[in-house]
Amino acid sequence: MIEKLPCELIEETLSRVPPESLVRFRTVSKKWNALFDDKMFINNHKMTFRFILATKSKFYSVSITPKIEVRELTLDIPGLESHKPKDLIDCNGFLLCGMDKEAVVWNPWLRQTRLMKLEVNQPSLCFNGIGYEYDNMRLEGSGYKTLVSYRNELNPTRSVWKIHDFASNSWKDKELAFSGSSGISLLASSSVSLNGILYWVASYLKNNSSFVLVYFNFSNEKVYKFSDLPCGENHHSDVIVLRIFMEDRFSLLKQCHLTKKIEIWVTKNKIKNCCSGDVEWMNFTEVSTPNLPDLVKPSYFIDHKKLVVCSCDETGKAWIYVMGDNKLISKIQIDSVVDPWPLHCTCFPSLVPVPRSQTKEAASFVVL
């Protein structure tokens, strides 16, 4: 009977079903299973969202349909309310929320979380991102891993690196070195995750106005140069942000501090793992009208030909800016986020469950 219904009616009905139920419905038919892997279906789901914001006490999702809707989210983990988030990173459908001595791996669409604890107390602790080992572009059985860093107390110019394995729930130290490249300094806050590999914006030590893209391969635990970036730094307060574009490419946002001009570049072709080669960057769009705001650690995504940005103003209030056709189309303050200077990132919903530990001493796993 279900198969006799029009496809449009089935999709419209399923777009109103809670995401947790969609996971169970994968076994209904091959057609439904394929539909749930269709990014267009996910993006059109009634419960989808585009940004996650975190304050010292609350989490919020922001959807743009095109009306902006803000919903408060919950993370039901004991003791979490006493820890202020320090990092909030989008990792291919998962969110990594780093705190002082631990982090929460979170799929906000499925309302699943997992707590990771690190037995060090470092003010400079940074959870860099989630990736995985791969074989022929597929996730290996060894599963997901997290890369963590903090400043070396004996040598402040160097960092200590650790890798967390989700399957064994274990940590190991790692001496991170560049393979085939030297004289490069990572800008760790600019990391993104694509196909199990972490990518960073970095600069050359001898010429810190010139930027390069590097990546960390979890399969051999080495860092490589990927490509030079199409723009440099004109002022030390310029904004440079790397994001994922069309699920398999990169986009790069730069705002010049002096002129406020915003430029967006995208890679022409799909990104293939460990294939640096010749990466072609194209100028996608630019916005240079005089009423542009100063972007403060912005997160953004590209919707067709529009640029949608989340950023804070000089008072710490969060705003959503929509830009296109070389102009600022709209700006809306997120009034329901009361605390100033919230962390924020883009977040595209995923039906991939949060990975569990395979050991007896499993990390905390919660379905909210």
Side-chain angles (χ1 to χ4, degrees):
M1 290 293 294
I2 291 177
E3 296 300 326
K4 293 181 180 180
L5 294 174
C7 293
E8 294 80 4
L9 179 58
I10 293 176
E11 290 187 23
E12 175 63 24
T13 302
L14 290 174
S15 71
R16 300 174 185 275
V17 173
E20 307 95 295
S21 298
L22 295 181
V23 176
R24 300 199 305 270
F25 292 168
R26 279 188 178 276
T27 58
V28 171
S29 70
K30 291 183 179 179
K31 185 180 294 186
W32 280 29
N33 186 52
L35 177 64
F36 298 156
D37 289 330
D38 186 341
K39 296 300 182 181
M40 185 174 294
F41 169 78
I42 299 295
N43 291 338
N44 292 332
H45 193 279
K46 306 304 179 186
M47 296 179 65
T48 196
F49 44 77
R50 287 293 181 266
F51 295 104
I52 296 290
L53 287 82
T55 69
K56 61 183 180 181
S57 57
K58 295 182 179 180
F59 289 82
Y60 304 86
S61 68
V62 179
S63 59
I64 302 171
T65 58
K67 180 183 177 182
I68 293 180
E69 296 183 16
V70 181
R71 301 184 184 96
E72 185 176 335
L73 304 175
T74 57
L75 276 176
D76 190 17
I77 295 179
L80 183 63
E81 62 278 357
S82 62
H83 297 276
K84 182 179 179 180
K86 295 172 58 178
D87 304 306
L88 190 64
I89 306 170
D90 176 21
C91 303
N92 270 19
F94 298 137
L95 283 183
L96 184 59
C97 182
M99 291 164 285
D100 290 332
K101 294 177 61 177
E102 54 199 13
V104 175
V105 181
W106 183 22
N107 184 327
W109 217 42
L110 295 183
R111 301 195 301 169
Q112 294 178 347
T113 61
R114 174 175 170 175
L115 185 64
M116 294 188 304
K117 293 188 177 182
L118 181 62
E119 298 303 320
V120 296
N121 186 9
Q122 291 288 338
S124 62
L125 185 65
C126 177
F127 288 84
N128 302 104
I130 299 172
Y132 52 81
E133 296 183 24
Y134 64 90
D135 182 20
N136 294 324
M137 302 293 287
R138 292 180 177 273
L139 175 64
E140 282 191 344
S142 54
Y144 290 91
K145 300 176 186 291
T146 304
L147 185 65
V148 176
S149 63
Y150 56 89
R151 190 177 298 110
N152 189 327
E153 293 181 346
L154 300 178
N155 186 356
T157 63
R158 298 181 63 86
S159 295
V160 176
W161 298 85
K162 289 180 177 289
I163 297 177
H164 174 264
D165 184 279
F166 278 72
S168 63
N169 193 34
S170 61
W171 293 88
K172 72 174 181 179
D173 294 334
K174 179 63 185 177
E175 183 72 25
L176 211 61
F178 286 93
S179 179
S181 298
S182 59
I184 293 177
S185 174
L186 292 179
L187 305 179
S189 60
S190 302
S191 60
V192 299
S193 178
L194 178 63
N195 297 330
I197 290 180
L198 295 185
Y199 294 83
W200 281 276
V201 174
S203 64
Y204 291 103
L205 293 175
K206 293 183 178 180
N207 181 14
N208 57 16
S209 64
S210 181
F211 293 109
V212 62
L213 191 59
V214 300
Y215 67 91
F216 178 75
N217 187 336
F218 278 96
S219 294
N220 58 19
E221 299 179 352
K222 292 183 179 180
V223 178
Y224 301 84
K225 175 184 174 181
F226 187 76
S227 78
D228 289 315
L229 293 183
C231 63
E233 184 180 70
N234 304 109
H235 188 277
H236 64 85
S237 295
D238 286 353
V239 174
I240 302 280
V241 182
L242 179 72
R243 299 308 308 156
I244 304 298
F245 174 62
M246 293 179 60
E247 303 169 22
D248 54 18
R249 295 166 170 81
F250 291 127
S251 66
L252 186 73
L253 177 150
K254 177 189 175 182
Q255 183 181 40
C256 177
H257 173 72
L258 299 176
T259 65
K260 313 306 177 193
K261 179 181 179 180
I262 296 174
E263 296 176 277
I264 299 287
W265 289 268
V266 298
T267 52
K268 181 179 180 180
N269 301 313
K270 294 181 180 180
I271 303 300
K272 297 181 180 180
N273 285 4
C274 304
C275 297
S276 49
D278 295 326
V279 179
E280 185 175 351
W281 291 86
M282 304 184 302
N283 191 287
F284 184 80
T285 189
E286 61 182 45
V287 185
S288 57
T289 53
N291 60 338
L292 290 179
D294 279 309
L295 300 181
V296 181
K297 295 183 178 180
S299 50
Y300 74 93
F301 68 92
I302 298 170
D303 183 17
H304 301 292
K305 292 187 177 181
K306 292 181 180 178
L307 174 65
V308 184
V309 180
C310 180
S311 181
C312 294
D313 62 18
E314 64 277 3
T315 67
K317 296 292 185 181
W319 290 76
I320 299 293
Y321 302 96
V322 180
M323 309 175 200
D325 296 326
N326 198 27
K327 64 181 179 182
L328 178 61
I329 298 173
S330 65
K331 60 177 184 178
I332 300 175
Q333 182 178 336
I334 308 178
D335 296 319
S336 54
V337 180
V338 179
D339 294 339
W341 302 110
L343 297 175
H344 53 84
C345 69
T346 53
C347 183
F348 293 90
S350 168
L351 290 174
V352 178
V354 172
R356 299 175 182 244
S357 172
Q358 298 175 4
T359 65
K360 292 182 179 180
E361 296 179 358
S364 301
F365 182 86
V366 181
V367 179
L368 307 176

